Amino acid sequence: MKGNRKIKLALLFFIAFSVSGFAQMGGKFKVVLDAGHGGKDYGAIYHGFIEKNIALNVALKVGKILEKDPGVQVIYTRKTDVFIELIERPNIANKADAHVFVSIHCNGEAKKSAFGTETFVIGNTKNASNLEVAKKENSVIILEKDSKTKYAGFDPNSPETLIGLVAQQEAYINQSIDLASKVQDNFTEGLKRKSRGVKQAPFWVLHKTAMPSILIELGFLSYKQEGEYLNSEEGQEEIAEAIARAILDYKKEYPASINVADDETPRRDDLGQPATNKTKPAETKSPEPDKEDKPLAKGTVFKVQISASGRDLELKPSNFKGLNNITKDASTSVIKYFYGETSNYSEAKQLLEEAKEKGFTSAFVVAFRDGKKVSVQEALK
């Protein structure tokens, strides 16, 4: 009898442990690392430096760092030198229901004089150099079988079709820019690399993802000194550390445990597409604080981030669809614009609804303590 009891207790312990383990897995922050090119697609080649190899080495090093954090799950689009179709890369991220998608590449140009790092998010652009980078990365589809069927109506050399790729990622643009800014800031401040900025361009691989997504150009292989750095073990380790740190900093602000009903991250429907809010928002009059709300720590305030842009706009209502009480943060490579300010989270959510009613559908609540940005979860503790 005692033996049976021990077996039952052991079985119950095993089941409880297993359930706990699965629950923890479900709450992990999922990062998809996409090493650009691969296999028959070499990417940029200059001075003997090969983009596909450098991108893979850096992606694996980033993943190794991230995997040390038990709260992170890393998914790779490739871990070896294989050809992955462009269409499959965002599919991997969408099937995993990932929280961020990070595509890693190297740059190159004919004059061999440009150098520096740049990180892209999806967006329209009339800038010739930005479009050229997008065309180069999109052109891999010509190496794929049945590309005319899979990419019907898409011409990688046509700016018109490139510009039509932006709509789906609009729901995630603020978060994408936030992540891209962290990457660029780490490159500039930590590694003293030349920053070419956070930019927007119509990359096919970014527009198909259903989560915040960025494409990092690590530097120019065509500029020999930079190519040597990117091709070196030391350079790749430093770059990987900078990217991993940016992702982990982003995770602190947008953790996997965030309740999507609180509008911290965009909702997704069953098809992995940005979901529209079908419920009518509450009235936009000044709300009464929830009775359950606890007093916040002194110096903690909430704002609604409505936009992030490289343009420095005058803070007047006509520039923000009629919204007053706009502030901005120009301390990073991309200027962030905020609506309202309150120490009460319920009021912050009301401000969020007001911003969305005005057309800022990708707006979300952010928190600051004594002037420093913190996660909403930390602010509510």
Side-chain angles (χ1 to χ4, degrees):
M1 290 295 291
K2 287 184 178 179
N4 289 338
R5 188 178 179 185
K6 286 183 178 179
I7 291 172
K8 287 180 181 179
L9 286 172
L11 183 60
L12 287 171
F13 177 81
F14 174 77
I15 292 171
F17 180 82
S18 299
V19 170
S20 173
F22 282 123
Q24 289 175 8
M25 281 294 290
K28 286 193 174 185
F29 186 86
K30 299 176 183 177
V31 178
V32 171
L33 297 176
D34 174 44
H37 310 280
K40 62 184 177 182
D41 176 19
Y42 282 67
I45 304 176
Y46 292 89
H47 312 294
F49 311 133
I50 302 173
E51 180 180 2
K52 69 170 184 175
N53 296 338
I54 295 171
L56 179 59
N57 289 342
V58 171
L60 293 175
K61 292 178 188 298
V62 173
K64 187 176 180 180
I65 297 169
L66 294 177
E67 286 166 349
K68 294 177 182 177
D69 186 327
V72 175
Q73 180 182 352
V74 180
I75 299 108
Y76 302 88
T77 57
R78 70 181 182 99
K79 296 183 76 172
T80 58
D81 184 20
V82 293
F83 179 74
I84 305 291
E85 293 186 346
L86 195 62
I87 199 170
E88 185 58 22
R89 296 172 188 264
N91 285 346
I92 291 170
N94 294 339
K95 288 174 184 176
D97 197 24
H99 294 88
V100 293
F101 175 87
V102 178
S103 192
I104 298 173
H105 293 259
C106 299
N107 230 326
E109 54 91 32
K111 293 182 180 179
K112 302 180 181 180
S113 58
F115 64 97
T117 68
E118 52 194 18
T119 301
F120 287 88
V121 300
I122 195 71
N124 292 329
T125 181
K126 294 181 179 179
N127 183 287
S129 63
N130 292 3
L131 278 173
E132 196 58 38
V133 175
K135 284 164 64 176
K136 179 188 69 175
E137 303 296 0
N138 290 332
S139 65
V140 64
I141 67 172
I142 64 176
L143 298 176
E144 299 181 21
K145 294 180 180 178
D146 302 320
S147 60
K148 290 184 179 180
T149 303
K150 287 184 291 189
Y151 304 91
F154 174 75
D155 177 2
N157 294 308
S158 167
E160 289 74 23
T161 52
L162 293 179
I163 289 170
L165 297 180
V166 180
Q168 179 170 323
Q169 265 288 310
E170 284 181 352
Y172 310 104
I173 193 66
N174 279 335
Q175 290 93 329
S176 298
I177 290 175
D178 216 7
L179 177 56
S181 299
K182 292 181 190 303
V183 171
Q184 283 301 120
D185 289 343
N186 282 354
F187 284 159
T188 306
E189 296 168 11
L191 303 183
K192 308 304 178 186
R193 304 278 308 283
K194 177 187 176 181
S195 175
R196 295 168 61 89
V198 174
K199 301 180 177 181
Q200 292 184 291
F203 290 90
W204 198 94
V205 73
L206 296 183
H207 106 284
K208 280 293 183 180
T209 53
M211 73 282 306
S213 303
I214 63 172
L215 187 146
I216 305 170
E217 294 284 357
L218 302 176
F220 286 78
L221 300 184
S222 48
Y223 191 74
K224 193 171 183 181
Q225 295 96 311
E226 190 161 66
E228 289 173 346
Y229 174 74
L230 297 177
N231 200 51
S232 70
E233 183 72 17
E234 180 184 3
Q236 291 171 11
E237 291 284 356
E238 290 180 351
I239 291 166
E241 178 65 35
I243 295 171
R245 201 155 18 91
I247 294 170
L248 292 174
D249 286 345
Y250 175 92
K251 172 180 171 285
K252 291 178 183 176
E253 295 182 23
Y254 309 96
S257 60
I258 284 174
N259 183 351
V260 292
D262 288 340
D263 294 302
E264 272 296 290
T265 53
R267 297 179 179 88
R268 288 194 281 262
D269 65 17
D270 292 338
L271 298 176
Q273 304 297 323
T276 55
N277 188 350
K278 296 179 182 178
T279 58
K280 186 177 179 180
E283 280 189 55
T284 57
K285 295 177 182 177
S286 297
E288 292 293 325
D290 289 351
K291 291 181 180 179
E292 291 91 19
D293 276 359
K294 297 179 180 178
L296 297 172
K298 186 179 180 181
T300 299
V301 297
F302 298 100
K303 298 182 180 184
V304 175
Q305 184 169 323
I306 58 173
S307 178
S309 171
R311 295 175 60 198
D312 191 354
L313 300 173
E314 186 180 346
L315 302 182
K316 57 184 181 179
S318 58
N319 283 336
F320 300 94
K321 304 181 181 181
L323 290 177
N324 286 295
N325 195 15
I326 302 296
T327 55
K328 66 182 176 182
D329 175 8
S331 63
T332 60
S333 51
V334 172
I335 300 171
K336 299 172 186 176
Y337 295 92
F338 306 97
Y339 168 54
E341 180 176 312
T342 177
S343 61
N344 183 281
Y345 186 48
S346 294
E347 292 179 3
K349 290 193 287 184
Q350 191 66 58
L351 291 170
L352 176 64
E353 293 297 345
E354 292 173 11
K356 289 188 173 184
E357 280 191 332
K358 287 290 188 178
F360 294 100
T361 55
S362 62
F364 54 97
V365 176
V366 294
F368 297 86
R369 179 171 291 150
D370 298 327
K372 183 179 179 182
K373 191 173 181 183
V374 297
S375 71
V376 171
Q377 283 68 31
E378 184 178 341
L380 290 171
K381 286 179 182 178

